[in-house]
Amino acid sequence: MKKIKTPSELEKLRKSIVAGYDFSRSCITICKGTGCSASGATTVVDAFREEIKKQKLESKIDIRTTGCHGFCERGPLVVIYPEGIFYQRVSTEDVAEIVSQTAMRGRIIERLLYVDPVTGKKVVHEKGVPFYNKQLRLIFGNNGRIDPTEIRDYIGLGGYSSLNKTLFEMKPQEVIEAIKQAGLRGRGGGGFPTGRKWESCRKAEGDIKYVICNADEGDPGAFQDRSLLEGNPHSVVEGLIIGGYAVGAKEGYIYVRNEYPLAVKHVGIAIKQAEEYGLLGEDILGTGFSFSIKITRGGGAFVCGESSALMASIEGRLGEPRFKHVHATEKGLWDRPTTLNNVKTWATVPLIIDKGADWYAKIGTEKSKGTMIFSLVGKINNTGLVEVPMGLPLRELIYGIGGGIPGEKRFKAVQTGGPSGGCIPEKLLDLPVDYERLTEAGSMMGSGGLIVMDEDTCMVNVAKYFLSFTIDESCGKCTPCREGIKHMLEILTDISEGKAEKKDLEILEELGNMVKETSLCALGGSAPNPVLSTLRYFRDEYEAHIKDKKCPAGVCLELIQYSIDEAKCTGCGVCKKECPQGAISGQKKEPHKIDKKICIKCGICLEVCKFDAIVVE
Amino acid sequence: MDKVTLTINGLKITVDKGMTVLEAALRNGIYIPHLCYHPDLKPVGVCRLCMVEIEGQGLTISCQAPVEQGLMVKTENPEIDKVRRVAVELLIVNYHADCLTCAQNNQNELQRIAAHIGITKERLERLRPPTKTVSVDTSNPFFDRDPNQCVLCGICVRTCEEIQGVSSIDFAFRGYNTTISTFGNKPIAESRCESCGECVVRCPVGALTPKKFQQPSREVKTICPYCGCGCGIYLGVRGNNIVSVRGDVDNPVNKGNLCVKGRFGYDFINHPERLSAPLIKRNGEFVEANWEEALELVTRKLSNYKGDGFATIASAKCTNEENYLIQKFTRAVVGTNNIDHCARLCHAPTVAGLAQSFGSGAMTNSINEVSDAACILAIGTNTTVAHPIIGLQIKKAVQNGAKLIVANPRKIDLCRFTNIFLQHRPGTDVALLMGMMRVIVDEGLLDETFIEKRCENFEDFKDLLSSFNLDFAEQITGVSREKIIKAARLYATCKPATILYAMGITQHTHGTDNVLATSNLALLTGNIGKPSTGVNPLRGQNNVQGACDMGALPNVYPGYQKVNDPMIKSKFENAWGCRLNDSPGLTHIEIFDAIHQGKIKALYLVGENPILSEANAKHVEEAINRLEFLVVQDIFLSETARLADVILPAVTFAEKDGTFTNTERRVQLIRKTIEPIGEAKPDWWITCQIAKRLGGKGFDFLHPKDIMEEIASLTPSYKGISYERLENGGLQWPCVTGEHPGTPILHTQAFATKSGKGKFIPLGYKPSAEVPDDKYPLILTTERSLYQFHTATMTRRVEGLNILRSHEMVEINSKDAAALGIGDGERVRVISRRGVVEAFAKVTDVSPLGVVSMSFHFSESPTNVLTNSALDPVAKIPETKVCAVRIEKLEGEEDRSADYTQR
């Protein structure tokens, strides 16, 4: 590939790519994101290729493997263009039929269609799926339309035209102004105004500056950054180059978890391709501006997502946070001015340059602009990644897009912002989701995790779970985080085992506030959130554990007991047969009994009983 | 320094810019609780207890908040109290407190914080104490590590890294499981820990505690008696026992730092084996005597040997005053210049060489300048082992960005910090330095202005240099020309550059040439007479500089005034009221040769142990046995003292007043801390008694300060020195008037030579006297252990030091060892032309191929039986750094390979 030297050459290339598209041909796109791959998408792709070869349809049907579409719960996902027919949970057995029927003849295969759980109706087209059509997929939307390993796909959709515009039409300060005006805030969860960060880095003294993309996505259940890097790596690369130009950096780093091999691979390919096309490296687009990007793979410590720990890790030192009175924008990586932003922030940058700051500023709320990608998981029908404008009420996210709670269970809480976020109760379901509202509610935006919990969830147990995570990930350097979280977990454990006293709740709050206020980094600064928010909204549940020695949700093993309702038990003997401890006794056709001394509360009897006779209290 | 004014709790405070809020508060007497802050270390802000409220910044930790003009700080408010209280309560609950039985009791920061905050029992009892206890690491002989009392402030870790440059410990594991650990979580005694105890003194809690510790009832400020660094210490006393030692933070040499010997090596003072009464040999057995009997015998015997049939060996461990008296006695009473001391065996070439080129044979610059050098050439010095506190300065310099060039045949510990390591063959220093100088001249990196204005004889030097080439240097030294070139450029261009050297330079038959090579190099680049430059010989004994200054040398009176100079002679004759001998006396080795030949028949030996310390030691022992009369004055019954006719029990540095002059010419007071042990007497008293009984005049001193007055009156460079002045801190000579501030840097305006110019001396390479051959294929070089000192008369009486290093180890390269079938820790026999010694092998690539090394600390393995007494023709120093040996494995003997605490 000859390097692109001028804006017109880039435009010419884009036109020739678009001209090469034959919209009359069928194109089968298969999601090869991590979720769909885990559901078998790789073998499905192979099957499609083989089938098309077998039927000698290479000239008639295109195949494109794409990044994550977000609706992982329904994977593997297949969309057939130009119609946009949407098939879900596709397996290799369906392949031949899809090729011959849908791709060649436009016939719909009913069994592969998505059924709207609310209306019960089948949906034919992707755009008709409620999960999608209620979203605003600005930065995530192209994932399903391009092959992430093919720069031409990205350019064909207008990719790198923002870079072009930046380098030829804007001064660095103008880029910063645009970002400021757009109101973009850090998508890593901190929500710091991106433009201001860039500005202080630009103003900082020093010839050498750096930009860093933080792709050390460590929150359990979060995979937005991963999906973006895997599915549309060029958008991040383009954002980084623009950022580098704006702050005056010539080098960028993408710090990505080594647990994301596909993301590492795709970003690597993207960097190489961008270099080949003259969009990255020396003398970009003939402007004299040079910028290079290196990939640093993380070693798996959660705390390395914290910016100072991340920089220490890039420098080859122990990945632990360091307190610095001076901001990284003045003294960051190797003590040089450094701008660090999250993957989603960088991916938003080209969009703002392309469509304008005003356009972007119209989306979202007064203080939180644009869209946010959430990972919707837990007790929810439509598990997956969703991109919505800031300010959308939680209810709309959970019921409108998420399709509500499975099994007719009642919603109890949603935990936002990853392991250090807080739990938001039902009464706040109409809360508009933005940085300020979530913080006010005792939680946070964080990386955009949304874990939905139903009535079977014990909030003490939830708090305990998240604290166990942060304890494992705490580096142990500062006193509050190291000692405080541990002590909080000890108290929670005592509560869940019925060994706590009422005063322990006060201690929990004291400890929580201390850890929050005094920890060295954001890990400790936010770790108590799950405890403090559940204490705030579900204090009665804590009190039930302490006073009544009961777990209302029936989760905490030490506080529950299994028994058999004699009125309901038919004496079928299934539970007795399945009990691994031999704790159940009784004659055939007569009510059975559980020996509480032997019972380990594993719950197998509850699962196997067909007569609802097992009682947990 | 710019100042800023800030307000803390309503008080306006003006402090230096660059300080932190915590420092500003503490210096102004405002206490803010803190655990991880230490004034010597970089702040890390991990304990989070020093929270303050800064207007506009909210709650923040003060140890990392820089002071700013107009800053409004509150150190207390209800919110701070609330969060800090809980954090401290957690620390206390987790702390296995046993304050009343803890060495840190009353000095524990956590106690202080608890008291400050007002911790209550009720609140503590709400919390959950830990259920686990971890075992205490008692492996180190001097201190214990108790993880149960550790608050993970990391001060020990940072001390070991930032101050000691050793990094023997670090944080291990994560989160709540974090612990301070050695590599591999082994006991500390098996780690690379150097037992300096710096972490122990800085530990704010009871996690690191000294093993033997008693609170002293009083402390006395004095100077460490070991090496030439001259560190300030406080000896703690109870009754008549030394019970504690701590570094003197106000002493400019060590600023409170100490090495393992300086901190823990004092058991010898109150040791039961101390000589407590005079001993007279009767029928081959020593019999206790009273002073009268002993002195009477000594004077009776010595009266037979007036003149050159007598010799004195003075002591570099004794004070200036004592050495002055010993030489006065020898010259004025006995009438001979046959006086020398162990400086002959270590730095005689320094005195001879630097006197030629600069006019003065001592460190040109001061210890605390080293850390500001841009380049350090450390040649022939294993600084971290032999001069540990100067070693710290080198490490600090490297931290400050200095380039370090180490030139040493052995891959010493400092090599961890080098930019260039020049591993030249033993004895090839001249070739190496000449090679560097050739590069500097060829590449025009010399300081022509300096040479022109301040030097002489450059053309002669240059002529000789032009015949010297790098191929030759490479071939002789074994160092690649690229490295020589790189080192030359670095030294010549990174200014200020300083040269540090020790006995790797001097203990050769061409030791004086080696010294001259270093001075040539410094002159060539103008690296002399300015701060952080110079040629800096690191002197070995606590007062070897002083013993030289005091004229315990055969050719000079105090202040290097020549005995054969008639003017000088008459000055001393007038002062001492006697006739003096103007022919220079014999040097150390020459004295023993003369004894062998029967020319010298009586010897007064003060505080030396030549049977172990002298090259070709067997020869020395034979000589001593031929003496008609030997008086030994010592604190222990040393190997040499056993051969004496009379032993006079002297006191240690802790039992007398006096002065030591350290390696940087700093004269410092040592103070009597305890009463003499038994009947032991100060050396100055003993010498006076002998002198007086032999009819000497001018020996009626009541106190060493009177002796110093006489010294000052006769020694120009000490003229301005008096005890009154020294009370306020040491003075570096030359100190020529009572107001003179002393001289930290020599030769700033002119050199001390006659012409006032620095003199280039043309040099040629000379091989060592004994080189390997088929029969003796290995080179033996000598070294030191950090844990023992000299012939170990003192250190072997410190139990802990002997746990860390108990026996001689022959360091041998792994390839040589493999070829000889020798395994690590196995017993070997080392054989030279002069003798045989047995020791344990230490297989290590610290030793290069073909070179083995040994210390000379252990009487069981007397290394100097092997070494060569061939002398440098000028300085008369024997060549203890190079001789040829062969090694044989001893089958079926004890194997010490599993002794991991030995180092």
Side-chain angles (χ1 to χ4, degrees), chain A residues 89-115:
Chain A
R89 293 192 177 160
V90 174
S91 69
T92 46
E93 287 88 62
D94 305 319
V95 166
E97 204 180 344
I98 293 172
V99 171
S100 56
Q101 296 301 314
T102 311
M104 291 307 293
R105 296 186 178 82
R107 289 181 191 157
I108 308 296
I109 303 163
E110 292 279 326
R111 69 164 194 281
L112 296 175
L113 293 177
Y114 172 70
V115 181

Side-chain angles (χ1 to χ4, degrees), chain B residues 221-280:
Chain B
K221 184 172 168 171
T222 187
I223 300 296
C224 170
Y226 283 104
C227 77
C229 290
C231 297
I233 54 170
Y234 281 92
L235 288 180
V237 190
R238 281 175 92 130
N240 206 42
N241 288 321
I242 304 298
V243 295
S244 69
V245 181
R246 67 181 172 94
D248 176 3
V249 291
D250 297 323
N251 188 294
V253 174
N254 59 318
K255 300 180 180 78
N257 296 135
L258 291 172
C259 71
V260 57
K261 296 187 294 288
R263 189 181 308 284
F264 298 116
Y266 297 93
D267 288 355
F268 73 92
I269 298 172
N270 291 104
H271 199 277
E273 289 173 13
R274 274 287 300 278
L275 294 172
S276 58
L279 297 174
I280 295 172

Side-chain angles (χ1 to χ4, degrees), chain B residues 840-862:
Chain B
F840 294 91
K842 181 177 179 183
V843 178
T844 168
D845 291 345
V846 166
S847 272
L849 207 59
V851 176
V852 296
S853 67
M854 295 169 76
S855 78
F856 66 103
H857 305 308
F858 302 95
S859 57
E860 304 88 333
S861 308

Side-chain angles (χ1 to χ4, degrees), chain A residues 384-446:
Chain A
L385 296 184
V386 299
E387 182 178 353
V388 294
M390 290 282 189
L392 194 76
L394 272 174
R395 186 184 301 281
E396 186 56 22
L397 259 169
I398 292 161
Y399 288 95
I401 298 169
I405 316 294
E408 291 169 19
K409 296 276 184 180
R410 197 171 151 194
F411 172 87
K412 186 170 190 178
V414 58
Q415 206 267 357
T416 78
S420 310
C423 292
I424 295 169
E426 196 180 7
K427 67 176 182 198
L428 293 179
L429 258 183
D430 291 312
L431 186 85
V433 180
D434 69 12
Y435 291 106
E436 278 71 30
R437 295 289 101 70
L438 285 175
T439 308
E440 280 163 23
S443 183
M444 60 187 208
M445 182 73 81

Side-chain angles (χ1 to χ4, degrees), chain B residues 535-613:
Chain B
V535 176
N536 295 297
L538 308 180
R539 313 220 39 182
Q541 290 278 13
N542 55 318
N543 197 35
V544 67
Q545 183 66 52
C548 290
D549 297 346
M550 291 304 107
L553 297 170
N555 57 336
V556 287
Y557 292 115
Y560 307 95
Q561 304 175 81
K562 296 215 158 63
V563 294
N564 52 8
D565 180 329
M567 295 278 287
I568 300 293
K569 180 174 165 248
S570 70
K571 169 174 141 184
F572 279 93
E573 283 178 340
N574 288 335
W576 291 345
C578 62
R579 302 291 298 163
L580 292 168
N581 185 339
D582 60 0
S583 55
L586 297 176
T587 63
H588 214 290
I589 292 268
E590 287 169 338
I591 288 172
F592 288 103
D593 285 343
I595 297 170
H596 242 277
Q597 293 155 10
K599 290 179 188 161
I600 291 175
K601 296 189 169 67
L603 182 67
Y604 178 30
L605 180 74
V606 184
E608 253 207 55
N609 194 10
I611 281 192
L612 287 188
S613 62

Side-chain angles (χ1 to χ4, degrees), chain A residues 323 472 483 494 510 518, chain B residues 48 64 94 123 128 174:
Chain A
F323 176 86
D472 274 351
E483 308 284 339
D494 281 355
E510 274 180 38
T518 61
Chain B
R48 319 299 292 171
Q64 284 184 322
N94 273 331
R123 281 182 59 91
R128 289 154 170 75
R174 273 156 48 102

Side-chain angles (χ1 to χ4, degrees), chain B residues 24 156 297 352 361 380 449 501 533 601:
Chain B
C156 54
L297 177 64
T449 325
Y501 74 79
T533 63
K601 296 189 169 67

Side-chain angles (χ1 to χ4, degrees), chain B residues 762-780:
Chain B
L763 298 170
Y765 167 72
K766 294 173 196 139
S768 301
E770 187 176 82
V771 289
D773 55 21
D774 287 349
K775 209 167 169 206
Y776 301 98
L778 297 167
I779 293 177
L780 169 70

